[in-house]
Amino acid sequence: AQTVTQSQPEMSVQEAETVTLSCTYDTSENNYYLFWYKQPPSRQMILVIRQEAYKQQNATENRFSVNFQKAAKSFSLKISDSQLGDTAMYFCAFMKLRGYSTLTFGKGTMLLVSP
Amino acid sequence: DVKVTQSSRYLVKRTGEKVFLECVQDMDHENMFWYRQDPGLGLRLIYFSYDVKMKEKGDIPEGYSVSREKKERFSLILESASTNQTSMYLCASSLGGYNQPQHFGDGTRLSIL
């Protein structure tokens, strides 16, 4: 079974600064996908970014980028130029490429961006 | 845009009641999922379905059942609600295959008194 660990229950950052959220996972799979989802307060969960394990290049989506270290089983999310609208719960998730396409989520990191 | 609609945003029921949570998606997605979200525990998968009338247990199926009679609709059923089922319930859908993002509804905050 896969496990996903987010060791930071809460983080805070000031506007315009950069913040990194950590995620580690445990799996015996060689091929898989990793995701970061964002859940703003009282709003819908949305996909932020995804990474295929077989790709060495780190994924980037505008101000969001990942640092994927396959050997270390680490998948951190970097948010540059933080904005107030980035305040949200962030979930790291894992999907193996065998069987059903289900996600295993971490427990989440609450990020607060302050002015 | 994909729309996943959960029938109720807030719901209050009593212990022992049979509770139905409904979820509808409008993008012809093959997969549909029900999660439970609790503080400090993240999202845990209750049940999922990869086709009409097909269902699979997730990580925490005890006390729940599901129904998928039509492709667009996936219902979560609490046969006899208990207080430990008070939680936020999230529905999601996705296309079949891997690397397909899941699209989530707004969630139903269910309180069992």
Side-chain angles (χ1 to χ4, degrees):
Chain A
Q2 286 66 231
T3 59
V4 177
T5 302
Q6 295 180 248
S7 59
Q8 307 147 315
E10 296 178 351
M11 293 191 71
S12 60
V13 66
Q14 291 197 311
E15 258 187 311
E17 292 185 346
T18 295
V19 64
T20 298
L21 309 183
S22 66
C23 173
T24 58
Y25 56 94
D26 187 22
T27 184
S28 58
E29 304 286 328
N30 190 47
N31 293 318
Y32 47 86
Y33 287 107
L34 295 162
F35 303 81
W36 278 99
Y37 279 86
K38 167 185 176 180
Q39 186 182 39
S42 300
R43 291 179 60 189
Q44 217 171 45
M45 179 111 64
I46 57 173
L47 177 69
V48 176
I49 198 165
R50 55 184 154 177
Q51 173 82 41
E52 295 91 332
Y54 60 86
K55 287 189 177 179
Q56 292 188 340
Q57 186 173 4
N58 289 323
T60 299
E61 289 286 344
N62 300 313
R63 297 182 296 107
F64 298 87
S65 62
V66 299
N67 183 5
F68 173 51
Q69 302 289 330
K70 190 174 183 180
K73 295 181 182 175
S74 171
F75 183 60
S76 60
L77 175 69
K78 185 171 84 171
I79 306 174
S80 304
D81 186 27
S82 296
Q83 301 175 0
L84 296 179
D86 295 333
T87 290
M89 182 71 84
Y90 287 82
F91 293 97
C92 178
F94 174 101
M95 178 188 288
K96 65 181 191 285
L97 296 187
R98 292 186 300 111
Y100 300 113
S101 52
T102 59
L103 289 170
T104 300
F105 284 89
K107 294 182 179 180
T109 296
M110 181 65 210
L111 176 67
L112 176 63
V113 181
S114 55
Chain B
D1 276 356
V2 176
K3 185 72 174 174
V4 179
T5 303
Q6 294 184 230
S7 55
S8 305
R9 196 72 191 269
Y10 301 93
L11 204 55
V12 180
K13 296 292 183 180
R14 296 206 174 274
T15 303
E17 279 192 70
K18 191 170 186 176
V19 180
F20 292 86
L21 302 184
E22 307 287 347
C23 176
V24 177
Q25 50 95 3
D26 66 355
M27 285 301 291
D28 204 35
H29 283 173
E30 288 84 0
N31 299 332
M32 295 189 75
F33 308 84
W34 275 107
Y35 293 92
R36 171 175 173 159
Q37 182 178 7
D38 298 288
L41 296 179
L43 276 74
R44 294 178 290 169
L45 182 63
I46 304 172
Y47 267 97
F48 64 99
S49 168
Y50 54 90
D51 201 352
V52 176
K53 296 190 186 295
M54 306 303 289
K55 61 184 180 184
E56 292 290 336
K57 293 180 180 179
D59 299 318
I60 52 165
E62 296 77 19
Y64 304 93
S65 63
V66 290
S67 172
R68 192 166 181 201
E69 295 297 318
K70 293 184 178 181
K71 190 174 185 179
E72 67 271 18
R73 186 180 296 270
F74 192 36
S75 303
L76 180 68
I77 304 157
L78 286 66
E79 296 289 344
S80 178
S82 63
T83 55
N84 62 12
Q85 292 177 310
T86 291
S87 187
M88 170 71 87
Y89 290 87
L90 294 177
C91 176
S93 71
S94 73
L95 288 168
Y98 300 108
N99 195 30
Q100 296 300 325
Q102 291 186 14
H103 300 267
F104 286 82
D106 288 336
T108 295
R109 188 165 294 281
L110 175 64
S111 296
I112 306 296
L113 305 179

